Amino acid sequence: MATPTQQWLIAFNWKMNPITRKIAMQLFTATKRKATLLRKVQTVVCPPLPYLDLCKRGTPRCALGAQDIFWEAEGAYTGAVSYMQLRDLGVKYVLVGHSESRARGERNSDIHKKIKAALLGSLTPIVCVGESSREERGGHLEVVKTQIEEALYGLPKTSMKQIVIAYEPLWAIGKGAVRGATPDEIFEMVIYIKKIVSDMYGTKSIPPTKILYGGSVHPLSVKEILLRGGVDGLLVGRASLDVKAVVEILQQAEALKR
Ligand code: PGA
């Protein structure tokens, strides 16, 4: 079994899909079946809330992730879900700061509180960052820098090994995507994110924070992104609903040496 640092981290974000428990169960079972066979991939499945319980029989190699978290532990917060509740369900990862949540009003200061809550619950926050467009010169770097600095502000260095950062440029995400980012574009941002983190914490924050890429990932782009993008894994949206694509993405990653 490869150690966590030798493994690719592949997270599947189902978003608000599928619309029935039956399909959710089929999708989860097929994903888990494949994930369990792999040695070089740590898989994470992030179903919507109503299916978390359904998918809780994950395995160490196919962990359960949530798509959101609230910062309080319990109480009168209608519609919110706490780290205590997620942890009790066996959730290990949680998406924070996804652009679709930011579009509904989530701010960097909220994201910061959500990361703290996740850490308190021993969950791994997958913190999503990314610019909305690349029109301005270097503007995309500034956007990501602010997102990371404000999200991580004041968190102890020791927590950095538990945090995953996902670079997800908005223009590359979802049905409206212009295109996926190229390995060169991803690589540039990965280097930049590492610099932001090391400027904040010093170079001795070991082991380094994992960085994922997300945005129009499909089986044919996996190899290029993982080998040339400098990332530790992927955050997959649409393709995570297609069993054939899921199996191929996992298989492609398993075949690659880190
Ligand atoms: P996509 O979504 O793979 O459908 O582009 C990625 C994401 O939003 O995490």
Side-chain angles (χ1 to χ4, degrees):
M1 182 75 184
T3 65
T5 46
Q6 295 164 334
Q7 283 181 318
W8 301 108
L9 180 62
I10 312 276
F12 294 105
N13 174 14
W14 291 3
K15 307 193 178 182
M16 202 171 68
N17 302 292
I19 53 170
T20 68
R21 283 170 65 85
K22 190 171 167 209
I23 305 174
M25 198 59 212
Q26 286 164 351
L27 190 55
F28 179 66
T29 307
T31 304
K32 183 170 93 168
R33 189 180 302 131
K34 181 66 187 175
T36 306
L37 299 172
L38 309 179
R39 290 172 48 248
K40 289 196 281 178
V41 181
Q42 170 65 58
T43 302
V44 180
V45 177
C46 304
L49 268 184
Y51 305 142
L52 275 180
D53 199 35
L54 195 69
C55 301
K56 76 176 176 196
R57 269 185 228 109
T59 63
R61 289 183 207 175
C62 184
L64 189 56
Q67 294 178 17
D68 198 6
I69 185 172
F70 190 59
W71 47 82
E72 297 292 346
E74 60 183 319
Y77 303 100
T78 303
V81 179
S82 82
Y83 67 87
M84 304 262 268
Q85 294 164 327
L86 294 178
R87 193 171 62 181
D88 189 52
L89 272 175
V91 169
K92 301 278 188 246
Y93 292 78
V94 61
L95 300 179
V96 179
H98 192 282
S99 58
E100 289 154 10
S101 308
R102 290 179 191 261
R104 293 196 302 274
E106 193 176 64
R107 299 159 303 175
N108 286 337
S109 52
D110 301 328
I111 292 161
H112 174 71
K113 288 190 272 184
K114 290 182 177 190
I115 296 171
K116 275 171 75 173
L119 295 173
L120 216 53
S122 302
L123 308 176
T124 297
I126 300 179
V127 185
C128 304
V129 296
E131 76 283 2
S132 50
S133 80
R134 284 216 166 195
E135 277 152 38
E136 293 158 45
R137 291 180 81 83
H140 59 291
L141 299 174
E142 272 310 306
V143 169
V144 169
K145 183 166 188 257
T146 306
Q147 288 173 337
I148 294 178
E149 285 179 347
E150 292 187 7
L152 303 186
Y153 179 76
L155 294 179
K157 184 168 169 170
T158 47
S159 59
M160 287 314 293
K161 63 176 185 299
Q162 205 185 324
I163 292 175
V164 174
I165 295 177
Y167 172 51
E168 294 213 309
L170 270 67
W171 49 266
I173 291 180
K175 285 201 181 110
V178 183
R179 58 176 173 84
T182 64
D184 287 348
E185 288 166 335
I186 298 167
F187 189 73
E188 178 204 43
M189 190 56 89
V190 168
I191 299 294
Y192 189 64
I193 290 173
K194 286 184 177 164
K195 179 173 168 359
I196 299 167
V197 174
S198 74
D199 283 351
M200 289 178 80
Y201 292 99
T203 41
K204 288 197 183 120
S205 54
I206 302 223
T209 308
K210 283 196 172 174
I211 303 176
L212 311 182
Y213 166 75
S216 299
V217 171
H218 58 86
L220 295 178
S221 61
V222 171
K223 191 170 165 191
E224 279 239 301
I225 297 171
L226 292 184
L227 288 185
R228 294 182 40 223
V231 289
D232 302 291
L234 304 166
L235 178 52
V236 184
R238 278 159 295 163
S240 62
L241 303 172
D242 173 353
V243 171
K244 194 162 167 277
V246 167
V247 169
E248 278 180 41
I249 288 169
L250 291 174
Q251 189 57 49
Q252 291 274 342
E254 176 75 3
L256 298 177
K257 199 168 156 27
R258 285 208 65 191

